[in-house]
Amino acid sequence: MPSFEPNEPVAQVDVAVEHLPAATVVRVAGELDHLTAPKFEAVALPAARRCAGRLVIDLSAVSFLASAGIAVVLAAGAAAPGRVRVVVGSGFTRRPLELTGAGEIVRLCTTREEALAAD
């Protein structure tokens, strides 16, 4: 069994919130797995609860999406009082969301512009 070496890179994630007139955008960059999902959750859930209009979760800069990240997307979607759109960008973020059925719960969009314009 491989062991962890102290100098090995650890999964990284950056999460930022942008408040627009008609939407709150939670932008995520990096890897979303069981190590980084708590940081995403700590930002996304409060933003979702406070969002007055549409919630857009932008995963277009996510390089890896595990089930822990999908769970946070769905929790944020459930916490948001309005419409929820998820920007998936590439297939490696879209596919896990589609396979798990998350695309039935939140609307998946290819671009940020599409998510902000979606009705």
Side-chain angles (χ1 to χ4, degrees):
M1 176 159 93
S3 63
F4 174 75
E5 295 295 324
N7 294 329
E8 287 182 17
V10 177
Q12 297 286 327
V13 70
D14 292 313
V15 185
V17 177
E18 181 181 0
H19 298 284
L20 302 175
T24 296
V25 180
V26 178
R27 187 178 39 80
V28 187
E31 300 175 6
L32 272 178
D33 59 17
H34 71 285
L35 295 174
T36 59
K39 180 178 180 180
F40 173 35
E41 183 176 40
V43 175
L45 289 185
R49 290 184 191 113
R50 285 192 293 261
C51 147
R54 174 178 300 149
L55 175 67
V56 175
I57 301 173
D58 187 347
L59 303 179
S60 61
V62 169
S63 57
F64 178 77
L65 179 60
S67 60
I70 294 170
V72 176
V73 168
L74 294 176
R83 295 184 175 125
V84 180
R85 304 293 182 255
V86 179
V87 180
V88 292
S90 70
F92 64 84
T93 52
R94 177 182 289 275
R95 185 129 172 91
L97 290 166
E98 288 177 339
L99 289 174
T100 59
E104 301 294 321
I105 299 167
V106 296
R107 182 171 172 183
L108 305 180
C109 300
T110 304
T111 65
R112 176 183 162 121
E113 292 74 22
E114 178 188 352
L116 291 171
D119 289 324

